[in-house]
Amino acid sequence: MALGDWRLYFLLRDRVKAAPTAQVNRVALAHLLPANRTFAQYVPTPKPERAPAPAAVDLVAQLKDYKPVEKLASVESFEATPANIEARTRRAALEPGLKLALLPKSTRGDAAVAELVLRTGNLDALKGRSDAAMMLSRLLDKGTQKRSRQELQDRLTALKAELSVGGGATSIKVAVKTTREHLPAVVELMGEMRRTPALDAASLEEVRAQALSGLQAQRDEPGAIVSNTLMRHGNPYAADDPRYTPSFAEVEQRLKALTLQQVRDFHARFLGASQAQFSAVGSFDEPAVRAAAQKAFAGWASATAVQRVPSPLVALPPARLVTRTPDKQNAVLGMRLPVAVKEFDADHAPLLLANFIVGGSPSSRLWVRVREKEGLSYGLGTPLRFTAHEASSMFAGQAAFAPSNRARVEAAIREELERSLKDGFTEAEVTQAKQGLLNFRRLSRAQDDSLAGNLVNNEWLGRNFQRAQAFD
């Protein structure tokens, strides 16, 4: 199966059954040679040292004083509908520009999740600073001006907090999981980490080495090569533009040239709470969390004006792009098509349903044919990403397979896309897709971390969950 086709398993089975004695003897004589042999010898220890044998356990004696844990407190059955989410969400705005969306509810273990996004800069100011922004996001959990890296990790451990940081030129995101009693302190610590990071030379060299090592691995991976090639194809932006996609060689050059001062300058010029969004979902004390956010971010204004970087539709010239990786045992096919539609346009829902049927679900036409029926691909799908501001969404697709199956995979994908365009979809397929998409959206809203991300995004876009309800 690792060779790309599940039928090979049964082919081998049948060949074993049919193998003649003469062939078995020939292969044994050719390969079972002394030079191709590993020899092992068992030598008994004269006086072996053994751990004592465990004594038999008297279960009656062990359990006579056992008292079970008291019954856990019941947790509310939270119905994650758009209307209920909207009714339970509490919103507030803090100076200089932090928007809060708080949804307190009971959870198992008093668990709580939170997300913070800091929007940064504008198109002109961000030119030539993408690499500094990327490295800054990787350094924000490596200590602060008050705590060493180990002290920071010890504090997070004491607060039972799992924290992740990511981002790029236009935003820095922090996501955290903790418990009710610790969330206010975690929020304050998030502020300390964002406002006063250590940004020391040793940590920069560490993350630089990690980035270069990861880059070297990507250069040989078919999936990474396909992604980079497609992102670069038709990209109209200059090399210093935050929307530009650099080649692997350019990324290496930029990483090696980046200085600590450039990272520190990006932090000083662009980070702040002038345009920031914070959400929390789960078991927490709402007034305490709000007070912690006020303490953590009050007065932290961005030194550079924040304005969203436009993302207009870029028409891509049709092209077939092939990169050969002869030393790899797998191949990857990718595709991209710009779509002049944005979120909640009239064509949004029909396109989403059509893609769900074609390749956007485990029951899609492409998955069933290419993966299940013909066994040609390890996995494939067609994500459809909608933009919120400009009509510049993107239809994409990717499939991984054995190189020998390339022509058949391409033909199958092309035939299914052409069939969909020519014949459309059946009423049963559309009905099933509607149900599947609605179930997926309901499940997403029922996951607290996903819900926290949606709340943050809504605050950024000036929306609420009434829009999601209307879309459903």
Side-chain angles (χ1 to χ4, degrees):
M1 292 179 69
L3 295 177
D5 194 322
W6 58 268
R7 292 171 295 182
L8 293 174
Y9 176 85
F10 299 100
L11 177 63
L12 177 61
R13 179 199 63 183
D14 295 343
R15 286 179 174 176
V16 169
K17 287 182 177 180
T21 303
Q23 184 181 17
V24 174
N25 289 328
R26 178 185 61 79
V27 172
L29 291 172
H31 293 278
L32 300 182
L33 302 175
N36 194 28
R37 182 183 304 160
T38 300
F39 176 75
Q41 184 177 10
Y42 171 69
V43 180
T45 302
K47 295 181 179 180
E49 295 182 6
R50 304 189 186 280
V57 177
D58 186 344
L59 293 179
V60 175
Q62 294 289 328
L63 296 172
K64 68 176 183 177
D65 297 323
Y66 171 74
K67 293 181 180 180
V69 177
E70 295 181 6
K71 184 179 179 180
L72 296 176
S74 60
V75 177
E76 67 172 311
S77 178
F78 181 79
E79 190 176 0
T81 63
N84 194 38
I85 293 170
E86 188 59 31
R88 294 282 293 272
T89 301
R90 304 290 179 261
R91 293 182 173 85
L94 304 177
E95 294 296 334
L98 177 63
K99 294 182 179 180
L100 306 181
L102 309 177
L103 200 168
K105 63 186 183 73
S106 63
T107 57
R108 291 288 182 195
D110 280 340
V113 300
E115 185 169 307
L116 170 71
V117 176
L118 307 175
R119 312 291 169 174
T120 54
N122 55 74
L123 179 56
D124 289 335
L126 289 170
K127 288 183 176 179
R129 301 180 184 273
S130 297
D131 306 288
M134 182 269 291
M135 294 299 273
L136 174 63
S137 70
R138 299 187 181 189
L139 289 169
L140 289 175
D141 62 352
K142 303 296 188 291
T144 71
Q145 294 174 17
K146 291 173 54 178
R147 307 173 202 265
S148 69
R149 182 173 181 176
Q150 187 59 55
E151 289 170 341
L152 177 59
Q153 293 303 316
D154 291 344
R155 179 61 175 157
L156 288 169
T157 300
L159 295 175
K160 299 180 180 179
E162 299 177 18
L163 184 143
S164 61
V165 185
T170 59
S171 66
I172 299 290
K173 170 185 165 182
V174 186
V176 67
K177 296 181 180 180
T178 184
T179 58
R180 177 185 180 88
E181 65 172 314
H182 296 307
L183 184 56
V186 171
V187 172
E188 291 187 26
L189 189 60
M190 290 167 68
E192 179 185 329
M193 294 169 66
R194 303 291 80 74
R195 298 182 73 162
T196 58
L199 301 182
D200 60 274
S203 295
L204 174 62
E205 293 311 313
E206 176 188 340
V207 297
R208 191 202 310 270
Q210 291 172 347
L212 288 170
S213 176
L215 176 67
Q216 186 58 40
Q218 286 185 323
R219 294 176 107 141
D220 299 325
E221 284 302 319
I225 294 171
V226 164
S227 178
N228 184 260
T229 300
L230 288 175
M231 292 292 290
R232 287 178 56 77
H233 173 64
N235 188 300
Y237 302 111
D240 64 349
D241 193 296
R243 297 164 294 186
Y244 174 74
T245 299
S247 66
F248 293 132
E250 288 173 315
V251 173
E252 180 180 9
Q253 183 181 14
R254 292 180 176 191
L255 285 172
K256 290 180 177 179
L258 186 68
T259 67
L260 180 60
Q261 190 58 49
Q262 288 175 312
V263 177
R264 289 175 172 173
D265 287 347
F266 188 93
H267 178 268
R269 288 192 57 184
F270 295 100
L271 257 64
S274 293
Q275 284 201 31
Q277 299 81 40
F278 174 88
S279 69
V281 178
S283 179
F284 59 88
D285 183 327
E286 180 188 343
V289 170
R290 189 177 304 195
Q294 174 71 29
K295 181 178 179 181
F297 302 105
W300 189 34
S302 308
T304 302
V306 180
Q307 186 176 7
R308 184 184 62 84
V309 175
S311 180
L313 182 75
V314 176
L316 298 181
R320 175 183 172 84
L321 309 169
V322 178
T323 302
R324 302 196 179 279
T325 54
D327 59 328
K328 294 297 179 180
Q329 297 300 310
N330 68 304
V332 175
L333 177 151
M335 52 189 177
R336 295 174 76 231
L337 177 69
V339 182
V341 176
K342 66 179 179 179
E343 273 190 309
F344 306 122
D345 279 353
D347 288 340
H348 180 184
L351 269 175
L352 199 60
L353 286 166
N355 183 62
F356 193 88
I357 297 170
V358 172
S361 72
S363 59
S364 67
R365 290 179 173 185
L366 285 174
W367 178 271
V368 170
R369 175 176 174 179
V370 180
R371 170 65 177 171
E372 295 185 5
K373 290 185 177 180
E374 300 187 21
L376 298 175
S377 175
Y378 311 124
L380 77 166
T382 58
L384 181 56
R385 301 180 181 89
F386 288 92
T387 51
H389 297 279
E390 296 93 352
S392 57
S393 300
M394 184 66 68
F395 170 81
Q398 191 170 85
F401 48 89
S404 59
N405 290 331
R406 178 191 57 77
R408 294 177 63 193
V409 170
E410 285 191 47
I413 292 176
R414 184 181 300 108
E415 288 169 11
E416 290 302 324
L417 291 175
E418 290 175 348
R419 179 166 74 95
S420 298
L421 291 172
K422 178 183 177 182
D423 301 330
F425 311 109
T426 67
E427 192 68 34
E429 285 179 314
V430 173
T431 300
Q432 183 181 3
K434 287 181 180 180
Q435 188 61 45
L437 271 173
L438 289 173
N439 287 340
F440 174 81
R441 289 170 64 82
R442 278 193 290 266
L443 179 61
S444 177
R445 290 191 291 261
Q447 307 301 313
D448 287 351
D449 51 354
S450 176
L451 181 54
N454 286 334
L455 287 169
V456 159
N457 194 51
N458 280 349
E459 292 304 306
W460 166 237
L461 298 172
R463 297 176 180 166
N464 57 36
F465 272 90
Q466 292 175 355
R467 179 67 68 88
Q469 185 174 12
F471 186 77
D472 285 356

